[in-house]
Amino acid sequence: MADSEPLLSLDGDPVAAEALLRDVFGIVVDEVIRKGTSASEKVCEWKEPEELKQLLDLELRSHGESREQILERCRAVIRYSVKTCHPHFFNQLFSGLDPHALAGRIVTESLNTSQYTYEIAPVFVLMEEEVLKKLRALVGWSSGDGVFCPGGVISLCFLSSWARAKLERSCSAPRILVFTQRLHALGRGAAVLGAAQDIQRVVRVTSGSWGKMIPEDLERQISLAKAEGAVPFLVTATSGTTVLGAFDPLEAIADVCQRHGLWLHVDAAWGGSVLLSQTHRHLLAGIQRADSVAWNPHKLLTAGLQCSALLLRDTSNLLKRCHGSQASYLFQQDKFYDVALDTGDKVVQCGRRVDCLKLWLMWKAQGGQGLEQRVDQAFALARYLVEELKKREGFELVMEPEFVNVCFWFVPPSLRGKQGSPDYAERLAKVAPVLKERMVKEGSMMVGYQPHGTRGNFFRMVVANPALTQADMDFFLNELERLGQDL
Ligand code: ABU
């Protein structure tokens, strides 16, 4: 077929299908992997939404397009997408590219199966169990349950079924309470909980200036709630908070939970990967006392989105008991193999993506030691950045980081030495949004900013990409200075 002819269908034409896919892979390798990870290329190509719509020509029409047009569409999608694997993309808790994990993602996508039954996903059912077993072992459990699910908040929703079951069994109390310091994350989960039973309430537990939950406040809030006749149910602690990268004191929180018979969930979506490091795993001391843990290897381990595990200490098949719909068209009980291998009833949705291969393949390639090194290197580089930042005028740390989130204000020349002036905080808070706009429009780098508690906007630099070097840290500081020199 000539390139200019419409590509109405490749059905029944394996030769043309293969040629197209080879071309697409070529484009991906050139544009996403080679250029997208090159410090000399842009991180993003900013366009206003209306212009971008025109450039992409989004409308879906009745006629098909030629192979060349389709390839050009692939190029355009890549051109205007943010290059999250770029060494100057510091915007999220995920970044960077692990080629083995990407290989796993490509194989997964190509095989296009669902994780719900052994009959259609035999390899992945067995692999998922092995990967979850490994993650549980790092938490400190020799047995348990778990499942890969779409993110840490969804993990919390899964626990809602247990809350409901517990309530039905225990009493007709007016409220089941969840104790957390992370209202934002839990709020969405609680919305699902609340939809199921409008007696759900989330209690905010105070955190100190380091962003860590204060166990004494947790104890106080639980006692208060009990005195009001409510039924405390769940405490969620965090290992690696989103902004400050703080680790809650898990031993002390577990003591409180034990005293009151509460379920302890640890949101280690961000910080869970620190368990791989002999040097730094003390930050999660006590995690083995949790009842459940959420851990996202797509963040610090660079497994690729999404790779988010919910791990349970429970061995009573809680997930299946709470979520199982026993759909007779999928989970026939008279199958010719062990039906316990059909794991689809562990989750609330039906079809489920395969999320284990990218992590498994990366682990096979790197080994636990390689992954440990990756975690240690991120800590070391974050420390380098902190020390360099302290040497420069115009950078003010929010706090000494204990993880790889480096939070700081950039104080532009016009505000230096004005710390005492009444509008200092207000003016300082306006700096980060201006610099963000400038860096995105130039495409030179991306880093996040936010207000936090009583603190005005500050930058949150995330040092997670395993390809980062000290030169990238120097570039980051230089670039902020360059972008903000006239402010
Ligand atoms: N799960 C929230 C992570 C947001 C971020 O990447 O900063």
Side-chain angles (χ1 to χ4, degrees):
M1 186 186 290
D3 282 350
S4 55
E5 284 174 20
L7 194 69
L8 291 177
S9 169
L10 294 182
D11 298 347
D13 190 348
V15 175
E18 181 182 326
L20 173 81
L21 289 174
R22 285 188 186 280
D23 282 345
V24 172
F25 279 130
I27 292 170
V28 168
V29 170
D30 281 348
E31 302 297 324
V32 181
I33 299 174
R34 190 169 53 75
K35 288 193 201 158
T37 58
S38 164
S40 55
E41 300 282 337
K42 284 182 167 189
V43 179
C44 55
E45 185 72 50
W46 171 260
K47 298 286 173 205
E48 295 296 335
E50 281 312 313
E51 187 189 357
L52 186 55
K53 278 186 199 167
Q54 297 300 320
L55 286 164
L56 293 173
D57 178 26
L58 291 170
E59 187 190 342
L60 296 172
R61 305 189 180 88
S62 55
H63 62 273
E65 295 187 341
S66 71
R67 170 184 159 151
E68 252 329 302
Q69 284 169 307
I70 292 300
L71 295 178
E72 190 43 43
R73 294 209 177 275
C74 292
R75 287 190 196 96
V77 166
I78 295 169
R79 186 176 314 128
Y80 300 115
S81 290
V82 172
K83 310 302 183 298
T84 64
C85 306
H86 193 285
H88 302 156
F89 175 84
F90 312 109
N91 210 67
Q92 306 305 143
L93 299 180
F94 65 88
S95 61
L97 174 87
D98 180 284
H100 298 102
L102 178 58
R105 275 142 64 200
I106 292 168
V107 173
T108 300
E109 287 299 321
S110 309
L111 287 169
N112 189 38
T113 193
S114 174
Q115 183 78 56
Y116 43 39
T117 63
Y118 183 76
E119 67 184 84
I120 64 155
V123 171
F124 300 128
V125 165
L126 300 181
M127 185 182 287
E128 180 177 62
E129 190 39 46
E130 189 62 28
V131 173
L132 292 170
K133 192 168 115 193
K134 186 75 186 172
L135 298 182
R136 282 196 304 266
L138 283 161
V139 166
W141 302 333
S142 54
S143 59
D145 196 359
V147 72
F148 278 97
C149 54
V153 173
I154 299 295
S155 300
L156 277 168
C157 297
F158 286 179
L159 295 177
S160 71
S161 309
W162 191 72
R164 199 176 315 137
K166 184 181 161 111
L167 179 78
E168 280 162 10
R169 273 204 313 274
S170 65
C171 59
S172 55
R175 286 167 296 153
I176 292 186
L177 300 186
V178 175
F179 294 82
T180 185
Q181 57 143 326
R182 301 194 68 209
L183 285 185
H184 173 64
L186 199 70
R188 282 176 277 180
V192 178
L193 292 168
Q197 45 181 263
D198 57 1
I199 45 182
Q200 183 65 45
R201 185 158 76 87
V202 177
V203 177
R204 183 172 193 138
V205 179
T206 311
S207 61
S209 58
W210 281 69
K212 293 171 184 285
M213 184 186 281
I214 299 173
E216 294 74 20
D217 187 56
L218 175 64
E219 177 83 54
R220 191 181 63 80
Q221 298 249 33
I222 291 169
S223 302
L224 267 175
K226 280 183 164 175
E228 288 172 5
V231 179
F233 154 64
L234 170 71
V235 173
T236 80
T238 310
S239 291
T241 56
T242 304
V243 176
L244 300 178
F247 288 78
D248 283 341
L250 298 181
E251 288 285 12
I253 292 169
D255 286 344
V256 176
C257 291
Q258 196 173 329
R259 261 197 301 282
H260 293 276
L262 303 185
W263 183 282
L264 173 57
H265 174 75
V266 177
D267 180 344
W270 176 218
S273 301
V274 176
L275 288 168
L276 282 148
S277 164
Q278 291 306 316
T279 311
H280 300 288
R281 62 169 291 137
H282 64 88
L283 290 167
L284 297 100
I287 195 169
Q288 75 286 353
R289 296 176 65 191
D291 298 286
S292 54
V293 170
W295 175 353
N296 293 3
H298 69 241
K299 291 183 168 149
L300 193 54
L301 290 188
T302 326
L305 286 157
Q306 286 195 341
C307 191
S308 174
L310 169 62
L311 308 170
L312 274 79
R313 189 145 55 101
D314 172 84
T315 52
S316 71
N317 229 358
L318 188 61
L319 287 170
K320 259 194 188 178
R321 283 191 291 117
C322 290
H323 297 143
S325 63
Q326 290 95 34
S328 57
Y329 53 86
L330 276 174
F331 308 119
Q332 301 89 338
Q333 294 304 295
D334 51 0
K335 284 186 180 179
F336 57 93
Y337 60 82
D338 178 1
V339 292
L341 291 165
D342 290 351
T343 55
D345 257 352
K346 284 187 182 184
V347 292
V348 288
Q349 78 271 34
C350 186
R352 186 157 66 88
R353 285 175 58 82
V354 171
D355 283 329
C356 55
L357 175 59
K358 50 201 162 199
L359 179 56
W360 182 86
L361 204 60
M362 178 175 74
W363 207 304
K364 279 283 187 195
Q366 297 277 338
Q369 288 173 347
L371 297 178
E372 175 175 13
Q373 241 174 34
R374 185 173 284 185
V375 173
D376 288 346
Q377 182 188 311
F379 271 88
L381 215 46
R383 181 42 46 190
Y384 172 81
L385 177 67
V386 169
E387 296 310 321
E388 289 304 304
L389 182 151
K390 284 178 183 170
K391 290 178 195 163
R392 300 186 185 217
E393 211 193 347
F395 290 88
E396 195 185 322
L397 272 181
V398 171
M399 62 175 55
E400 279 291 334
E402 60 178 341
F403 195 17
V404 297
N405 309 37
V406 180
C407 294
F408 65 92
W409 287 278
F410 175 72
V411 185
S414 66
L415 281 179
R416 291 180 197 160
K418 305 257 171 67
Q419 275 79 350
S421 61
D423 61 348
Y424 177 79
E426 196 187 322
R427 287 172 65 193
L428 186 60
K430 291 188 175 138
V431 173
V434 172
L435 295 191
K436 179 69 180 261
E437 179 177 357
R438 290 179 179 184
M439 68 181 77
V440 169
K441 288 189 169 167
E442 286 194 24
S444 60
M445 66 179 189
M446 288 183 75
V447 61
Y449 75 86
Q450 64 287 297
H452 192 267
T454 56
R455 300 175 177 109
N457 284 326
F458 57 85
F459 286 113
R460 178 203 64 172
M461 166 67 163
V462 180
V463 186
N465 181 345
L468 292 179
T469 62
Q470 293 188 350
D472 295 311
M473 301 298 101
D474 296 339
F475 168 87
F476 174 71
L477 296 176
N478 292 339
E479 184 63 5
L480 281 176
E481 284 177 345
R482 186 186 71 80
L483 292 166
Q485 63 191 347
D486 62 330
L487 295 180

